[in-house]
Amino acid sequence: MKSAKKQGKPFPRKASLFAEIFSAVLALAIALSAFNSCVDKNIPVIKEEETADEEFEPGKTVSLGYYIRDSLNPFYAASLLNTGLTPLVYDSLYSLDEKYMPVPVIAASYILSEGKLKVTLLSDVLFSDGTQLTSDDVAYSFNTAKNSNRYADTLSGFLSAEKESGFELVFNLAKHDSYAVNLLTFPIVKYGTGEEADDIPVGSGPYRLFDDDDGKRFSVNPYNREKKGEIGEVRLYPISVPQDTVYGIENGFVDAAADDLSGGKFTFPGVNHVKYPQNNLVFIAFNSSVIAFSDSRVRRAISYCVNRREIASAAFLSFAKEAYTPFNPAWEIYAEANMFNDISAFTDANMEKTEFSVNYLKGAELLEAAGFASVAKSGARTGTLGYMEYTMLINDDNQFKLAAARSIAESLEKVNIKIEIKALPWNDYVKAVNDENFDMCLEEIKLNPNMNFSVLIPTDSASPFHIKPQKEITDSYRDFLNGMITIDTFIIDFFEHMPFIPIVFRDGALYYSGNITPGGKTMPPDYLSALHNWNVK
């Protein structure tokens, strides 16, 4: 790979030469008269970019794609291509590690109290133009993010952000959230620079965006605090059809590309790839109007008979992790609950070790206890509540879901529950779900980093998936969110009521060329978070 060239003109650059000279003179005057005051937002801390550039020699170059019909403004970007570039240019208050735990980036500390999350910033963070980052910038970034389509849902639990001092601010919460700090991953930009979709806000991340005769590229930000890794430049290759990005790898135009696999298939098995974590839960939702499903014993029985290991490895081609609860199994808080260190906590001693998530005997016992003690000539279990013959609704364009539905149907056949898979085109599928024209459906939802799944156990509103849990489980979940009970206690309550059935948490795929070897751990949800550890030929 070729080494980076001399940095060109930053993009966009609106200041005139006169403005730069005036700014420098003004900086000197203020420094002489009030050197103990806070840094003015319009005064570069380091006035000569050339001096700063010489302190860090750019290293090797990689190429990434960007979608030309989408914005590079992090608050307006919508495509996976462009949203993935955000952490290369913009720092956040916190990022997440591989266990979904908060890691400070430009934050020094936080204090969570009743309804408030106070954050203290590092005082030595500079933007890529050399100006200092303060709480004014964070408050501005929060408001811009909260009003954007991209971050509106993630930040919906926050009411406002209020500046307390130059490096302190308080986020006001709508409700208590013990893990609210996990949501402070929105990009921090310089005050006033992110208003329009065509704007490229100023950030403090590892790189800054340039646009000149050589095209768009990210070059090393000389003011970034860490300056880590050997990649000194990221060339941006224009992509007109996002789905074609992997072809750019095969043709040598792009070195890496991500696929969140939301299309329901793995298209490029022959291309070098690694998995990257996502917080996407695949689950079974029940139509509560089906009388049998109003009995928690029936829902629990079905859960015992689902072979999650087979679904994760075969149906999702190992791009998934088994899920027994709505909590991501990678989440440290969940892992520390230690509920599954003893397998008997979930099954009994009669299960086979190769199918530790499956217990057909336990499932059959629960079905008989619920009144389904007979088997009709059709082979379907029957009882006072009718025949156990149901439809499972899926969208027909998702091969992963189709394979998972078949696995579930085969497993339930072993306890005499008959499942007919009903695969519909997407629009028809959505209409059928909205009209509650299904018995069971296989759904997916992307959970926020605070692991809140209130949309699936609604405590004060209707669920878009028409899940209507019993009051006991909604009360238990509310108590958990309010910190009144532990995660262990809630999980026990969840197993008892099983309002829906978690199946897997789905991963994505990061493809890469022979020019690079990915290194380090990819942190959710940023598939490029380990770029500084890539080895480049």
Side-chain angles (χ1 to χ4, degrees), residues 361-405:
L361 290 177
K362 183 66 174 179
E365 289 174 5
L366 286 168
L367 292 174
E368 291 177 5
F372 293 95
S374 303
V375 177
K377 291 183 179 180
S378 65
R381 190 175 287 268
T382 185
T384 56
L385 298 180
Y387 292 88
M388 302 201 82
E389 297 178 334
Y390 309 113
T391 59
M392 175 170 286
L393 186 67
I394 63 169
N395 49 302
D396 64 3
D397 60 347
N398 194 305
Q399 296 177 11
F400 293 151
K401 280 188 179 180
L402 180 59

Side-chain angles (χ1 to χ4, degrees), residues 100 385 414 464:
Y100 286 88
L385 298 180
K414 295 179 181 180

Side-chain angles (χ1 to χ4, degrees), residues 296 299-300 470 472-473 492-499:
S296 64
R299 301 191 299 269
R300 289 166 57 205
Q470 295 164 299
E472 292 83 356
I473 190 62
I492 292 172
D493 291 340
F494 180 84
F495 280 149
E496 181 180 350
H497 294 280
M498 197 63 67

Side-chain angles (χ1 to χ4, degrees), residues 161-202:
E162 298 176 359
K163 172 184 175 181
E164 283 204 344
S165 68
F167 299 103
E168 293 178 315
L169 69 163
V170 172
F171 296 93
N172 296 303
L173 304 174
K175 298 179 182 178
H176 177 77
D177 184 351
S178 300
Y179 310 105
V181 67
N182 283 31
L183 301 174
L184 300 183
T185 57
F186 58 90
I188 306 302
V189 307
K190 184 175 179 178
Y191 186 93
T193 63
E195 304 293 337
E196 305 295 335
D198 291 337
D199 292 339
I200 305 299
V202 178

Side-chain angles (χ1 to χ4, degrees), residues 151-460:
Y151 295 100
D153 179 66
T154 303
L155 298 176
S156 60
F158 291 89
L159 297 176
S160 61
E162 298 176 359
K163 172 184 175 181
E164 283 204 344
S165 68
F167 299 103
E168 293 178 315
L169 69 163
V170 172
F171 296 93
N172 296 303
L173 304 174
K175 298 179 182 178
H176 177 77
D177 184 351
S178 300
Y179 310 105
V181 67
N182 283 31
L183 301 174
L184 300 183
T185 57
F186 58 90
I188 306 302
V189 307
K190 184 175 179 178
Y191 186 93
T193 63
E195 304 293 337
E196 305 295 335
D198 291 337
D199 292 339
I200 305 299
V202 178
S204 60
Y207 299 91
R208 53 182 176 175
L209 181 62
F210 284 75
D211 189 16
D212 55 24
D213 293 341
D214 291 333
K216 290 183 174 64
R217 69 191 189 281
F218 294 149
S219 289
V220 169
N221 172 12
Y223 302 104
N224 184 259
R225 297 169 61 252
E226 297 189 17
K227 299 186 180 71
K228 55 188 177 181
E230 67 171 27
I231 298 175
E233 185 173 82
V234 179
R235 292 283 174 175
L236 297 181
Y237 185 80
I239 302 292
S240 58
V241 181
Q243 294 79 1
D244 292 345
T245 311
V246 177
Y247 293 115
I249 294 177
E250 295 176 327
N251 295 324
F253 299 118
V254 176
D255 287 312
D259 184 357
D260 62 6
L261 301 181
S262 59
K265 59 183 178 180
F266 184 54
T267 310
F268 302 97
V271 178
N272 297 327
H273 63 272
V274 292
K275 291 187 290 186
Y276 72 88
Q278 297 185 125
N279 206 19
N280 291 42
L281 172 65
V282 178
F283 62 96
I284 296 175
F286 296 97
N287 188 334
S288 59
S289 66
V290 178
I291 297 177
F293 294 153
S294 64
D295 191 325
S296 64
R297 292 171 295 186
V298 172
R299 301 191 299 269
R300 289 166 57 205
I302 292 174
S303 179
Y304 273 114
C305 296
V306 173
N307 193 331
R308 293 167 173 83
R309 170 168 288 182
E310 177 182 276
I311 291 172
S313 63
F316 285 87
L317 304 178
S318 295
F319 284 92
K321 297 179 287 289
E322 305 151 57
Y324 304 102
T325 76
F327 298 113
N328 193 310
W331 188 32
E332 184 175 292
I333 303 299
Y334 169 75
E336 289 181 348
N338 289 321
M339 289 207 65
F340 299 111
N341 286 350
D342 181 3
I343 296 177
S344 63
F346 187 69
T347 62
D348 63 27
N350 296 315
M351 53 59 176
E352 297 180 17
K353 290 183 178 180
T354 56
E355 295 182 325
F356 75 92
S357 68
V358 183
N359 193 330
Y360 299 115
L361 290 177
K362 183 66 174 179
E365 289 174 5
L366 286 168
L367 292 174
E368 291 177 5
F372 293 95
S374 303
V375 177
K377 291 183 179 180
S378 65
R381 190 175 287 268
T382 185
T384 56
L385 298 180
Y387 292 88
M388 302 201 82
E389 297 178 334
Y390 309 113
T391 59
M392 175 170 286
L393 186 67
I394 63 169
N395 49 302
D396 64 3
D397 60 347
N398 194 305
Q399 296 177 11
F400 293 151
K401 280 188 179 180
L402 180 59
R406 287 171 177 163
S407 176
I408 294 168
E410 291 172 1
S411 293
L412 295 182
E413 179 78 25
K414 295 179 181 180
V415 290
N416 301 103
I417 298 178
K418 298 284 188 179
I419 299 295
E420 177 189 355
I421 299 172
K422 190 175 182 181
L424 299 177
W426 177 252
N427 290 337
D428 294 336
Y429 168 79
V430 172
K431 185 177 187 304
V433 172
N434 290 337
D435 294 342
E436 297 187 62
N437 185 21
F438 65 91
D439 297 329
M440 295 186 284
C441 66
L442 199 57
E443 273 287 357
E444 178 177 333
I445 184 172
K446 186 176 182 65
L447 300 180
N448 283 324
N450 62 344
M451 301 299 167
N452 186 297
F453 45 86
S454 295
V455 69
L456 301 180
I457 305 182
T459 57
D460 53 11

